[in-house]
Amino acid sequence: MTRTRDMILRGRLWVLKSGENLFSDIDTDMIYHNAHLAVTSIDEMGQFAFGNLDGYRDFAGRAQPGDIILTGENFGSGSSRQHAVDCFSALGVQAVIARSFGAIYKRNAINSGFPIIELPGLPDSLFEHFDDVELDLEKGILSKGEKSFNGNPMSEVAKDIYMAGGLFQYAEQI
Amino acid sequence: MGRTIVEKIMSSHSGVDCRAGDVAWIDIDNRTARDFAGASVVGNLEKYGGDFPINDRQKTFFTFDCNVPANTIPYANNQHRIRLFARKHDLKVFDVDAGIGSHIVIENKFGKPGTTTVGTDSHLNIMGSVGAFGQGMGDVDIAYAFKTGNVWYDVPQTVKVTLEGIPAKGTEAKDVALAMLRRFNNHELLGKAVEIYGSWVETATLEDCITFSSLATEMGAIIALIPPNDNVLGFFDISREEAVYADSDAEYSEEYVLDINELEPLIAAPPSPSNVSPVSEHSDVKVDGVFIGSCTNGTYQDLKYAAELLKGHKVASGIMLKVVPATRETWSRLLDEGLLKDIFDAGGIISNAGCGGCASGQIGMTGEKEIQVSTSNRNFKGKQGKGNTYLAGVGTAVASAVLGRIASVHELKEVR
Ligand code: SF4
């Protein structure tokens, strides 16, 4: 799956919720269960995305290329598996937004050139499920029409790696 | 505003003024990979490394320490794949005889105060013991470091912890680290660098510092940095000016004081390193095996202490005492000084240098319901087999081996 390298992404927003609140503490086993770790081809990983997340087990079948995911605190805590990033690339998901990310997940996402944006303090209900949103990676702003929320801009390092398409692609340029 | 130790190290290694929250490319002085995940590093370099996959071969090396010599075919395959790659690119391999990678970095003085080290070992932050930066990373990051000499890093916030008072006699560095785990649990320091102050660290030996900093990972911290004291400076034969210290007006995200005055020996009961209580509360727990070693407590100082305590005693019948020096150099010193004989005569099983009981089975695993006292740093379910592992210092481990139940060193003999 080749991705665009735009700094402004537009897409349909999946607002992941647990009850009334943005879903927090989604760990790597909920994103990509360890039963499927032997899979090495990225294209085959998409089908397992959120396969172990209550309420979203059918995500892979319903996601469309270009979708953007929004969640709560501490997304991707747990083990260091790269599959938990790659499964979204495989489905053509453009970006994951969270109030915060687990540290290792953040490294893995940035290293594979997959855009993630942190929106600390985002209210639970500002955005609605399947809103057509705009995500400005450069400024860290998520918006739909009049409503918008400012978060953390993508770091320079993350931007460079994203533009190159991944850490090793970046290495080839220097 | 002044800068913390980690801000200073990252600034000097990136060429820009780094502050907590910045993301910077930092130069890495020591780029390492071990037998665990090292083969994946090689795989990445073969795929993406091009004709020149190694930036600086003087600074790049492999350390085999998990499974030495390999006792599973996958480990044997991985180790040999690494050896062949290393031969091709003329890289140094500290092979299966050498010992634990992080200790080799210190022992050979590659990791001086103020330097940077990365590798595939999640306990490389042990470098904090000498006021240096170290970090374990995934195989993609490490392959990138091999190829370019750099990694990017989120400069962490720093927490300042002052340890107040002097522990009781018979209390070790391990107990002080367990006191930290008891106070901060495994999440209060999450993602932070921690600087440690107080009279205890000012007089701690290099080995004490290593033990303490080896538990930073379990504390959830990025690294536990100990400002180099005279013992550490003496080991590296450098002056204070050559080491890195925080500015007096450095900015800390939090500051804590932890009272360790008259601290008694502690133990972490399964299943978590932060499940800490006094050793004396567990004296009715019968023990089946004891492991002394690992990057936490496998130094010359640790094993010399074990030998001294064991001299004239016998391991209780039916109990395994497994002893693993951290490095070949430690092994050799213990051998020369007759200390291994004291351990052997007391009934100890001595294995070759490496991670030993801490990694996958070099000196045996625990079976279901087996109770082990270990000087290592992790007692999560399944880490050292199916049994239940308690984490403690060397004195507690030896006393438990001799008495056949969890016991503090005071029950064995009067200590200094
Ligand atoms: S002794 Fe254990 S914790 Fe230390 S480096 Fe080896 S496997 Fe890791």
Side-chain angles (χ1 to χ4, degrees):
Chain A
M1 170 94 217
T2 51
R3 269 177 269 141
T4 54
R5 299 287 154 207
D6 298 331
M7 289 310 284
I8 300 211
L9 307 177
R10 291 186 186 84
R12 183 177 77 157
L13 190 69
W14 279 78
V15 181
L16 269 49
K17 288 206 164 173
S18 163
E20 290 302 297
N21 304 323
L22 283 174
F23 216 132
S24 284
D25 299 312
I26 297 177
D27 71 24
T28 45
D29 259 323
M30 301 177 193
I31 301 171
Y32 190 98
H33 195 263
N34 62 34
H36 315 298
L37 284 183
V39 176
T40 54
S41 156
I42 290 185
D43 292 337
E44 286 168 35
M45 292 177 192
Q47 57 183 311
F48 303 115
F50 289 140
N52 191 34
L53 181 66
D54 282 343
Y56 296 91
R57 289 175 207 272
D58 57 354
F59 176 83
R62 297 176 57 209
Q64 294 169 8
D67 284 354
I68 294 171
I69 295 168
L70 176 68
T71 73
E73 315 282 350
N74 200 21
F75 184 80
S77 58
S79 86
S80 65
R81 73 192 60 153
Q82 187 72 34
H83 305 65
V85 175
D86 293 342
C87 64
F88 296 126
S89 304
L91 291 173
V93 170
Q94 291 196 85
V96 176
I97 306 167
R99 287 206 194 102
S100 63
F101 288 90
I104 304 177
Y105 192 88
K106 202 165 152 181
R107 273 200 96 77
N108 288 343
I110 292 174
N111 285 344
S112 60
F114 184 79
I116 54 170
I117 286 291
E118 277 176 318
L119 301 180
L122 175 74
D124 287 305
S125 302
L126 185 61
F127 292 93
E128 282 163 37
H129 196 48
F130 286 168
D131 270 353
D132 280 311
V133 294
E134 188 174 288
L135 180 64
D136 185 331
L137 301 175
E138 183 99 46
K139 302 201 180 98
I141 300 176
L142 179 65
S143 60
K144 185 202 176 205
E146 292 294 283
K147 66 182 174 188
S148 80
F149 191 85
N150 283 41
N152 300 342
M154 211 174 191
S155 72
E156 288 299 318
V157 167
K159 213 161 36 187
D160 290 346
I161 299 173
Y162 169 64
M163 293 312 283
L167 188 60
F168 281 105
Q169 289 77 356
Y170 178 78
E172 279 162 18
Q173 299 174 357
I174 53 178
Chain B
M1 259 305 186
R3 289 177 298 173
T4 65
I5 297 176
V6 79
E7 286 171 339
K8 284 192 171 179
I9 295 176
M10 297 210 166
S11 298
S12 67
H13 284 75
S14 65
V16 295
D17 181 21
C18 287
R19 303 286 171 156
D22 293 346
V23 182
W25 288 101
I26 53 174
D27 275 342
I28 301 300
D29 299 314
N30 301 298
R31 309 131 193 192
T32 74
R34 67 200 309 203
D35 45 350
F36 176 78
S40 308
V41 172
V42 166
N44 283 314
L45 290 169
E46 285 171 347
K47 196 161 158 199
Y48 301 107
D51 294 339
F52 304 101
I54 305 299
N55 161 273
D56 183 344
R57 35 173 298 276
Q58 303 296 340
K59 297 180 172 178
T60 310
F61 48 91
F62 293 98
T63 60
F64 293 171
D65 48 17
C66 287
N67 201 290
V68 289
N71 63 6
T72 68
I73 292 169
Y75 261 110
N77 284 339
N78 286 343
Q79 289 174 355
H80 208 61
R81 185 172 178 197
I82 295 170
R83 281 189 201 106
L84 294 175
F85 179 85
R87 271 178 218 159
K88 182 169 166 198
H89 297 284
D90 196 17
L91 297 177
K92 171 109 181 123
V93 177
F94 290 90
D95 215 303
V96 293
D97 59 332
I100 303 177
S102 58
H103 283 238
I104 284 170
V105 171
I106 296 174
E107 204 169 76
N108 288 285
K109 304 189 170 75
F110 301 147
K112 291 195 177 64
T115 56
T116 55
T117 301
V118 297
T120 55
D121 165 12
S122 62
H123 286 81
L124 263 184
N125 49 10
I126 210 166
M127 300 311 299
S129 58
V130 299
F133 181 76
Q135 203 63 200
M137 291 181 179
D139 53 89
V140 172
D141 275 309
I142 298 306
Y144 186 87
F146 273 38
K147 164 122 178 114
T148 68
N150 293 296
V151 299
W152 61 272
Y153 209 77
D154 271 302
V155 182
Q157 292 182 321
T158 301
V159 171
K160 179 177 182 175
V161 175
T162 305
L163 303 174
E164 213 151 71
I166 300 293
K169 281 190 181 128
T171 300
E172 303 165 33
K174 179 65 159 285
D175 301 305
V176 178
L178 290 172
M180 284 286 289
L181 278 153
R182 177 167 65 175
R183 165 65 185 80
F184 295 104
N185 219 303
N186 52 5
H187 56 260
E188 275 187 56
L189 301 171
L190 206 64
K192 306 283 175 79
V194 189
E195 288 179 11
I196 311 291
Y197 294 91
S199 48
W200 182 78
V201 282
E202 281 160 25
T203 54
T205 62
L206 168 66
E207 290 87 346
D208 290 338
C209 296
I210 289 174
T211 298
F212 184 92
S213 292
S214 78
L215 282 139
T217 305
E218 286 63 42
M219 295 171 198
I222 298 276
I223 189 166
L225 287 150
I226 299 180
N229 62 22
D230 289 343
N231 295 326
V232 172
L233 295 173
F235 172 78
F236 288 102
D237 197 17
I238 60 171
S239 66
R240 274 187 78 86
E241 286 64 41
E242 294 168 85
V244 177
Y245 298 91
D247 291 325
S248 56
D249 59 345
E251 200 173 335
Y252 296 101
S253 65
E254 285 121 296
E255 297 190 29
Y256 300 98
V257 173
L258 180 64
D259 182 10
I260 57 165
N261 208 35
E262 292 299 318
L263 183 74
E264 292 288 334
L266 298 174
I267 194 161
S272 149
S274 57
N275 189 16
V276 174
S277 47
V279 171
S280 53
E281 288 177 16
H282 299 271
S283 52
D284 56 347
V285 177
K286 186 180 169 336
V287 165
D288 302 299
V290 172
F291 166 62
I292 302 178
S294 87
C295 61
T296 296
N297 277 122
T299 63
Y300 169 76
Q301 173 183 299
D302 290 317
L303 298 194
K304 178 170 191 262
Y305 185 43
E308 285 167 0
L309 290 173
L310 280 167
K311 203 174 166 92
H313 287 287
K314 282 265 183 254
V315 171
S317 95
I319 293 188
M320 293 169 274
L321 170 63
K322 309 166 186 178
V323 179
V324 183
T327 64
R328 186 179 174 88
E329 192 173 302
T330 294
W331 229 104
S332 142
R333 261 180 98 180
L334 295 165
L335 189 65
D336 287 348
E337 294 173 19
L339 295 165
L340 288 181
K341 177 144 175 62
D342 294 334
I343 296 172
F344 183 83
D345 286 346
I349 308 163
I350 304 158
S351 180
N352 52 313
C355 294
C358 191
S360 28
Q362 182 193 344
I363 192 168
M365 306 291 274
T366 57
E368 233 160 302
K369 302 208 172 114
E370 189 175 325
I371 293 182
Q372 173 180 245
V373 173
S374 166
T375 65
S376 70
N377 47 44
R378 285 183 170 174
N379 59 354
F380 304 120
K381 258 206 147 3
K383 167 85 180 163
Q384 298 183 10
K386 284 265 183 209
N388 295 319
T389 293
Y390 289 75
L391 305 176
V394 174
T396 304
V398 170
S400 303
V402 171
L403 297 173
R405 59 174 173 83
I406 290 180
S408 97
V409 69
H410 301 292
E411 299 179 66
L412 192 65
K413 67 164 75 157
E414 211 162 292
V415 282
R416 327 156 249 159

